[in-house]
Amino acid sequence: MSLTIACHNDVFGSTGQIEPMQLEEIVAHGYKSVINNRPDFEGGPSQPLNEVIEAKAKSLGLHYAYLPVVSGSITPEQVIEMARLLKTLPGPILAFCRSGARSTNLYQLAQQVR
C-alpha cells in the first residue's frame, strides 16, 4: 500500500498511520527522520506499536522520535519539543499520526516557537 504524504516543504512532510514495512518507501522518498505523534493503542490492538516501528526505522538508518500527542489536546510542552526535534533531527522529516492532521497542526504550532 502506497503512502499518501503531504509535503509541506522541502524539509517536512506528514502522513497518517504507517506500517513498519512502509518505512522502506519512506527511505526511498528521501526522508532521514520520522516522528511518531500517535500514542500507542489509540487505534486499538491492530495499530503497530511504537517500539516495533522504531526498531524497523533504526534498522533502515532512519532517525526516530516518539512524541505522542492526544488528538485535540496539544500542550505547550509538546509544541516546544516538536520545535526542538525539527531543529535537531536530520531532514527531511516525516511525522505521522492517525490521519496526519495532528502532526501537521503540531508542525505549524512549532514553527511559531522562537
Side-chain angles (χ1 to χ4, degrees), residues 25-91:
E25 182 180 346
I26 290 166
V27 169
H29 280 288
Y31 288 96
K32 305 291 184 211
S33 301
V34 173
I35 301 173
N36 179 354
N37 296 131
R38 192 168 191 203
D40 275 345
F41 305 108
E42 179 183 70
S46 64
Q47 176 186 334
L49 292 175
N50 173 64
E51 66 185 26
V52 174
I53 299 170
E54 180 177 19
K56 179 67 174 177
K58 288 184 174 182
S59 78
L60 294 170
L62 286 165
H63 294 260
Y64 189 89
Y66 184 48
L67 179 58
V69 176
V70 174
S71 184
S73 298
I74 296 173
T75 68
E77 294 79 16
Q78 290 166 329
V79 172
I80 290 167
E81 178 60 8
M82 183 69 164
R84 186 191 72 76
L85 290 171
L86 292 170
K87 289 177 187 170
T88 59
L89 288 173

Side-chain angles (χ1 to χ4, degrees), residues 1 3-5 14-23 26 34-36 38 46-49 53-54 57 62 64 94-98:
M1 163 165 90
L3 283 171
T4 301
I5 297 174
S14 61
T15 192
Q17 178 68 55
I18 63 170
E19 295 291 330
M21 65 191 157
Q22 292 175 306
L23 287 159
I26 290 166
V34 173
I35 301 173
N36 179 354
R38 192 168 191 203
S46 64
Q47 176 186 334
L49 292 175
I53 299 170
E54 180 177 19
L62 286 165
Y64 189 89
L94 180 68
F96 75 91
C97 58
R98 185 189 65 77

